[in-house]
Amino acid sequence: MKKNNISTKPLSGFMELLPSDQVLFDRIKEVIIKNYEKFGFMAMDTPLIEKEEVLLTKAGGETEKQIYRFKKGDNDLALRFDLTISLARYVVENFNNLNFPFRRYVIGKVYRGERPQKGRFREFYQCDVDVIGDGNLSLKNDAEIPSVIYNIFKELDFGDFVIKINNRKILNGFFSSLDLEDRSSEIMIVVDKLDKIGIEGVKDELVNLSLKEESIEKILEFINISGTNEGKIEELESLDIDNEVFKEGVRELKEVFELALLMGIESKNLEIDLSIARGLDYYTGTVYETFIKGYEKIGSVCSGGRYDNLASQYTDKKLPGVGISIGLTRLFDQLKDNGLLKDYSKSKTEVLIVSLLEDFKEAFGLANKLRGEDVNTQVYLDEAKPKKIFGYADKNNIPYVVVIGEDEIKGGYYTFKDMKKGEQKQLKLEDILEAL
Amino acid sequence: MKKNNISTKPLSGFMELLPSDQVLFDRIKEVIIKNYEKFGFMAMDTPLIEKEEVLLTKAGGETEKQIYRFKKGDNDLALRFDLTISLARYVVENFNNLNFPFRRYVIGKVYRGERPQKGRFREFYQCDVDVIGDGNLSLKNDAEIPSVIYNIFKELDFGDFVIKINNRKILNGFFSSLDLEDRSSEIMIVVDKLDKIGIEGVKDELVNLSLKEESIEKILEFINISGTNEGKIEELESLDIDNEVFKEGVRELKEVFELALLMGIESKNLEIDLSIARGLDYYTGTVYETFIKGYEKIGSVCSGGRYDNLASQYTDKKLPGVGISIGLTRLFDQLKDNGLLKDYSKSKTEVLIVSLLEDFKEAFGLANKLRGEDVNTQVYLDEAKPKKIFGYADKNNIPYVVVIGEDEIKGGYYTFKDMKKGEQKQLKLEDILEAL
């Protein structure tokens, strides 16, 4: 049916969903928003376009190449590639009008011109939540983040999950004690791959870095510390490492872990994992990753951490923060591929009203009453045979159909059909509301 | 506090709100979404970037100059300037997987590089709702649109409002009867300005178009038809205009008007206005505009209409549709400027919990219980004097503060403060839930 040879496909790397999938996507987004707000985070919405110079203060390497840049008038512009840079700009710009600790969330699209491949998107939603302090920020904030994640994934119910936590100071202090502090970044990049390449893979890569065998053994021993969470903390405390940063990291990790449990997170959902490092220099304390059990290969579905300075590129003020991000587009894509979404497919439209009468008065009246009770209701407004209309409800996953014809008017009832069960009943309005 | 000479201001023409305004903005957005869904419209979300050729099929003149265009790799890309072009592309692309009539809404940002001026934005939200038929689409759909608008503006409660309707066929037929059909577009552009420049202004501009004096008189008489809605329809029916298109338009307008009333819209909120034309060639039947009474100068806050062919640039299939759009960013800006938002300022965070104890166990426990009852609750996690914390709640518009100290623990109660009333009570959990 196409003409003019213009393709109607969306651009490669850009997600576009059919309505039935969009419902699932939006449900996840709504659960995330609901829980962010339940913990008292406030909504924020910043432009998708920033001045190029703003984005380039933080981008580098691969990211810089992926930025969508363009000119309009005299301005060098670019599409944001994450939500953090805008947060930094916003906090500095509005510093005097914000109340600290400033707790905000953003659900927004970001853009990265990556080579398109399965599971990679050029336009994708990030769902960020952060709390920013003015000068200081209590560790209790670090402990609250896992509670937020916990509540979200508990409600989403994709399966069992585990939130892994660590503290960058432990890693930094540990490497410092091995006189490897100037190489900690490259070692951490390797350590970070543990989930993907396994302990032998990490060992091989460490050998490639030409580290002393003794150091490699110590590193492997360290990231392999196992047992219960409490056991790991005890082992860390008992290690003979005379380094203040290391000790501070252990104290912080212990405090964050204990506070997180006190906040109500189940201990089976929280795991201290000393191999978690979260990339390079940005994070300075607590770090988080989240995995769905049995689907670890998906990678972390929710990650983040503590940073000492949100906006050092703009200001000398110290603005420490802690936060996490959910890459919703990729998460949705992976959940769908792995069949983890199947139980949620239902339209937001709850009732479809079919009038067999010429006069739609009764249909419109019922629709208004149902909408008044917060029931999303569509009246089928076009001419069609009942069979076609039932097919429409079925294909759109609308769970209930109400039929109004002459018999119904005379009998003073509505014919109410449960599309899933295939059951049909004669009900009055009160009974319909009861049944919904 | 700025350094490096990088401005932290958002780009000119891009709205960026403080949290207290963001709450207001999001409330409006949520009411719009809620009502779109209440009428059984389904969410849709398409990419913000389209291939340039897709956008250029519809853009022209001013709009074309305003498009943000850029290259990435070999692709000529552009940011969408409205939501209709993506809808057309989407419906054609997914034709076989959609169920018609296809009812969808989109809330999304669009981009127009206009010269920035007060009330004009380069990035702005449009909130579109449309229903698309496959071949045919009943007039009942035209009648339902005012009900959707009515429910939204009723709930938003910015003041009294009126939804004006007309039908393009009446205008087309009327001009045809004057032998002015080939000039109807330019005359309609003038007629469309009636609200802005008044009857004398319209007359002057019609004179400038070198129309016959007789025709001008007939046009002014026509757009000046007054009285009740029913009276206007009667006057239209009794006009001696022997033109089939005109007569069809009158029949359609009458049917849409009567059905809209039957759907429950109050007659004081619906007005037939024969001067409404909605721009140029896109609309082919019913057209809508919405005005807040006393603030007509803001212009129409919600407009739309019926179109015969959604996607003629892609397909020979006839896809008639009807829909409306709310320009949310501009609406918000205007409402704020006119002081129409003032009563809604409240945080989404309902309770702030303050622990005066070293041990936050009680605070965390209470927070979880409140969140379990869907009460958005923040625990103040940082060290600060109570006075500062109350100031924080106050500045963030958090309506209730709960204090937990030694007295409270001993006494088995919480100190509950209503920040607005300034009242403080000693309550148990059940009483707090009652009070909220």
Side-chain angles (χ1 to χ4, degrees), chain A residues 34-174:
Chain A
K34 195 181 94 180
N35 281 284
Y36 284 171
E37 291 183 347
K38 214 168 243 190
F39 280 81
F41 291 90
M42 297 181 293
M44 182 172 134
D45 185 10
T46 57
L48 275 83
I49 305 178
E50 294 279 0
K51 284 184 204 106
E52 191 183 76
E53 59 172 8
V54 166
L55 292 185
L56 294 182
T57 56
K58 271 244 162 156
E62 256 330 281
T63 312
E64 191 164 324
K65 279 183 232 152
Q66 295 169 352
I67 300 178
Y68 286 86
R69 305 189 198 185
F70 47 100
K71 258 184 179 297
K72 187 82 188 168
D74 293 334
N75 291 314
D76 291 312
L77 306 174
L79 296 179
R80 65 185 180 190
F81 60 86
D82 76 9
L83 302 171
T84 310
I85 293 175
S86 310
L87 172 64
R89 183 185 56 64
Y90 178 96
V91 168
V92 173
E93 177 66 20
N94 299 295
F95 184 81
N96 293 320
N97 291 309
L98 297 178
N99 308 305
F100 293 89
F102 174 56
R103 296 159 72 87
R104 84 88 178 81
Y105 75 86
V106 193
I107 314 289
K109 285 179 171 178
V110 303
Y111 296 84
R112 292 188 192 185
E114 295 196 73
R115 204 157 47 84
Q117 48 179 308
K118 180 68 202 140
R120 291 279 167 188
F121 293 91
R122 290 173 163 184
E123 175 184 72
F124 55 98
Y125 276 97
Q126 283 194 334
C127 309
D128 280 22
V129 68
D130 290 86
V131 51
I132 311 294
D134 175 13
N136 294 295
L137 189 68
S138 147
L139 269 186
K140 292 195 183 75
N141 293 284
D142 299 51
E144 192 183 49
I145 295 289
S147 279
V148 179
I149 307 174
Y150 171 77
N151 276 274
I152 289 170
F153 282 88
K154 196 97 186 155
E155 185 168 347
L156 288 173
D157 195 25
F158 298 132
D160 214 0
F161 61 93
V162 60
I163 303 161
K164 296 189 173 187
I165 60 169
N166 191 16
N167 192 302
R168 286 290 299 265
K169 287 175 188 166
I170 295 177
L171 296 166
N172 291 338
F174 172 72

Side-chain angles (χ1 to χ4, degrees), chain A residues 372-388:
Chain A
E373 301 288 333
D374 283 332
V375 177
N376 294 342
T377 305
Q378 175 184 350
V379 181
Y380 196 92
L381 296 171
D382 286 72
E383 274 177 50
K385 301 230 165 89
K387 196 183 159 188
K388 195 190 157 192

Side-chain angles (χ1 to χ4, degrees), chain B residues 269-280:
Chain B
N269 294 104
L270 188 63
E271 183 185 321
I272 291 173
D273 183 336
L274 301 172
S275 74
I276 303 288
R278 291 304 312 150
L280 295 167

Side-chain angles (χ1 to χ4, degrees), chain A residues 3 8 93 101 138 312 382 392, chain B residues 3 8 93 101 138 312 382 392:
Chain A
K3 66 179 195 185
T8 53
E93 177 66 20
S138 147
S312 56
D382 286 72
Y392 178 87
Chain B
K3 68 178 194 185
T8 53
E93 176 66 20
S138 146
S312 57
D382 287 71
Y392 178 87

Side-chain angles (χ1 to χ4, degrees), chain A residues 246-273:
Chain A
F246 176 86
K247 286 179 181 167
E248 194 181 330
V250 175
R251 277 195 303 272
E252 287 189 8
L253 182 63
K254 186 182 180 186
E255 189 175 339
V256 168
F257 173 72
E258 288 173 354
L259 281 166
L261 292 185
L262 198 63
M263 287 184 189
I265 191 169
E266 287 174 273
S267 63
K268 74 178 174 70
N269 294 104
L270 188 63
E271 182 186 322
I272 291 174
D273 183 336

